[in-house]
Amino acid sequence: MAIDKHSDSAIFRRGIWQDNPVLIQMLGLCPALAVTNTVKNSIAMGGATLFVLVCSSVLVSLVKNLIPSEVRISAYILIIATFVTLADMGLEAYVPEIHKALGAFIALIVVNCMILGRQEAFASKNTPRKALMDALGTGTGFMIALLMLGAIREIIGMGSFFGISLFGPNYAKWVVMILPPGGFLTLGGILLFIAWRESKRTEAAK
Amino acid sequence: MSDIEETTKPSTAIDDAPEEKSTSSFVMIATLGVAGLLAGLLLVVVDGITAPRIAKYRKQQQELAAKEVLGGEGRILRIEKFAFVDGSLVPITVDDTGQESPSTDSPIFRGYDANNVLLGYAFPGAEFGYADVIPIVIGYSPSTHSLLGMKVLGNKETPGLGDNIVNDEHFANQWPGKTAPLVQMKGNASLANEVDTISGATISSSAVIRGMNRAIELYKPAIDALESSDSQAAVSATKSEKEAG
């Protein structure tokens, strides 16, 4: 591969697939399982997380030299919590329906290990520009994973996509798919598929 | 991989943080203190912007739900708000600054149709469901002493099961004409005081019914008292044909 691994676009793309936070790194699984029963919820959760991740990464990268290393984790959490509260208030004021649907999970973005992980592993060691690209990539990757889960679960569990009915009123809804077990089943299925594809590829490379 | 290193490996342990000259406690406390102060300031500013919007939206939702249980927004011409103080209903007045007095989080609404005929009252209720408190609004007609409708305001009940209290049409539409105290049935409700729960959402739907009974018990005496005093006043003052409740 002739592409520069450190270029902005390479950093951006890495988070989307190669190092996808949910599907490859297995980070941020709690929201990924808990609120992905419809496409709408997935988009809202992905969007809120992306917002928090981008703002926190850029800010952490900007102030990285001002924070003594002993208290850096506390400082990151403080920064993340502030942006989460902003997102929480913003959603409640401007899109209250979605805020209602996501409930407590917005506040729990604070403890999404994916976000803290990016601060510690990347933003605190790189320039704001690179931190921005990394956060955008990781956040988009998170959103894509949530959308995959949300789409599969909503289509099977409710027979609809983004609230639009697909199969008519006679479709026997597979309710378990929008309940918590459906989250695990779907994630397991997706991971199985990815692992299977990966093993095919390494086999072919031999 | 590369020198912009990716550390998902456990190299994040505290002791390998870059180049140790130990920082004084004062600097640490000062750093976090300043950061906390800035974060607090930012939050206060944003809260100042969003809080009125959030409060306004809540009021709108309450009023919308009240109109719905009183027979649909189209039918309502005029709506009055009351606060529940010491067991009786006190009209809420709004002063020039938009401040309501007495102020209340859960106002009671009285709605009239286009001919200025009283439709009924809408008041709030709440009860613990399966996952969390289920807030509801109940529509009640003092002239017939029966229900007009009920609406679940929001719920965190299990999707696909408990949240059928919102989605199940039979459950949502069975209220008009029913009289309290309501008795729970399993799909064979026929008398005026019998209502059906939802199979598969028994806990959530019976919580709604319990919440309704409790709210009716709480507010009904106040509403009936206000109605009879109002209609007496109306009759003696104008000899209007207002129906005595």
Side-chain angles (χ1 to χ4, degrees):
Chain A
M1 268 189 275
I3 325 156
D4 179 10
K5 268 186 171 172
H6 309 159
S7 74
D8 290 347
S9 70
I11 293 174
F12 175 72
R13 280 201 312 267
R14 200 175 48 183
I16 293 185
W17 190 250
Q18 186 193 332
D19 282 352
N20 185 294
V22 177
L23 303 177
I24 308 294
Q25 299 189 54
M26 307 282 154
L27 292 175
L29 290 185
C30 169
L33 291 168
V35 290
T36 55
N37 50 11
T38 63
V39 174
K40 216 185 220 170
N41 287 356
S42 300
I43 292 176
M45 191 65 196
T49 310
L50 181 68
F51 166 79
V52 173
L53 181 58
V54 166
C55 295
S56 311
S57 279
V58 172
L59 189 59
V60 163
S61 179
L62 283 171
V63 301
K64 60 178 182 281
N65 297 326
L66 299 176
I67 302 173
S69 64
E70 291 91 336
V71 293
R72 66 186 190 285
I73 303 284
S74 328
Y76 301 159
I77 291 286
L78 180 69
I79 289 170
I80 296 168
T82 307
F83 283 117
V84 167
T85 313
L86 290 181
D88 190 29
M89 294 193 291
L91 284 174
E92 188 169 11
Y94 296 97
V95 278
E97 287 306 316
I98 287 176
H99 183 269
K100 219 155 69 178
L102 294 183
F105 290 101
I106 301 201
L108 288 177
I109 297 175
V110 178
V111 289
N112 186 326
C113 48
M114 174 189 87
I115 297 180
L116 186 62
R118 292 329 289 165
Q119 312 313 317
E120 176 68 10
F122 197 94
S124 60
K125 299 187 176 81
N126 290 285
T127 61
R129 188 192 160 96
K130 290 210 185 318
L132 173 67
M133 296 318 290
D134 176 69
L136 283 174
T138 308
T140 312
F142 186 67
M143 170 90 95
I144 290 171
L146 258 57
L147 270 178
M148 286 169 76
L149 281 160
I152 295 173
R153 291 177 68 187
E154 186 178 344
I155 290 173
I156 302 179
M158 297 169 81
S160 64
F161 183 81
F162 208 79
I164 302 156
S165 176
L166 294 179
F167 309 124
N170 291 329
Y171 176 71
K173 293 171 182 173
W174 198 7
V175 172
V176 70
M177 290 303 279
I178 57 171
L179 298 176
F184 287 96
L185 282 175
T186 313
L187 185 65
I190 294 174
L191 294 178
L192 193 67
F193 175 74
I194 291 173
W196 171 77
R197 223 190 53 153
E198 192 62 28
S199 73
K200 278 266 169 201
R201 232 179 35 188
T202 44
E203 228 169 77
K206 265 181 208 168
Chain B
M1 244 197 199
S2 60
D3 54 354
I4 39 166
E5 211 14 65
E6 178 73 11
T7 42
T8 26
K9 293 160 267 172
S11 60
T12 53
I14 302 287
D15 53 22
D16 82 345
E19 300 335 302
E20 297 324 318
K21 47 175 173 57
S22 72
T23 316
S24 78
S25 310
F26 174 76
V27 174
M28 290 186 221
I29 294 169
T31 310
L32 287 180
V34 170
L37 201 68
L38 290 177
L41 275 176
L42 182 64
L43 290 179
V44 167
V45 170
V46 174
D47 183 58
I49 300 168
T50 53
R53 264 191 91 97
I54 294 170
K56 197 172 134 207
Y57 173 79
R58 283 202 183 130
K59 284 215 173 91
Q60 272 173 3
Q61 286 304 99
Q62 280 173 343
E63 197 165 320
L64 215 63
K67 285 179 176 173
E68 206 171 303
V69 293
L70 291 179
E73 195 171 358
R75 282 186 66 195
I76 314 277
L77 184 73
R78 187 159 61 87
I79 201 155
E80 295 168 344
K81 281 167 90 173
F82 294 87
F84 186 69
V85 185
D86 296 332
S88 62
L89 298 182
V90 183
I92 295 177
T93 52
V94 183
D95 68 14
D96 305 336
T97 59
Q99 204 69 41
E100 294 180 333
S101 82
S103 78
T104 172
D105 286 335
S106 43
I108 292 153
F109 296 90
R110 175 160 76 173
Y112 295 88
D113 72 4
N115 302 322
N116 218 13
V117 174
L118 175 68
L119 289 169
Y121 288 76
F123 50 86
E127 179 64 62
F128 278 100
Y130 183 76
D132 199 355
V133 171
I134 306 170
I136 54 178
V137 169
I138 300 138
Y140 168 75
S141 161
S143 54
T144 61
H145 296 285
S146 66
L147 296 182
L148 295 166
M150 186 282 300
K151 187 176 156 58
V152 177
L153 285 183
N155 79 92
K156 299 190 173 77
E157 303 300 286
T158 319
L161 298 172
D163 76 346
N164 277 335
I165 53 172
V166 180
N167 302 324
D168 188 291
E169 281 182 19
H170 173 67
F171 185 75
N173 298 327
Q174 65 177 329
W175 313 106
K178 296 290 181 187
T179 52
L182 302 166
V183 177
Q184 299 178 19
M185 304 299 281
K186 289 186 170 155
N188 52 353
S190 53
L191 300 175
N193 63 346
E194 291 176 348
V195 290
D196 289 323
T197 54
I198 306 171
S199 126
T202 313
I203 297 178
S204 308
S205 54
S206 68
V208 168
I209 296 170
R210 279 202 314 279
M212 294 175 73
N213 277 335
R214 257 220 328 244
I216 294 166
E217 201 181 321
L218 178 66
Y219 293 119
K220 189 172 174 281
I223 290 172
D224 288 343
L226 181 71
E227 269 313 299
S228 63
S229 72
D230 266 19
S231 54
Q232 273 162 19
V235 167
S236 60
T238 62
K239 291 191 175 173
S240 78
E241 291 178 343
K242 212 172 190 182
E243 192 185 339

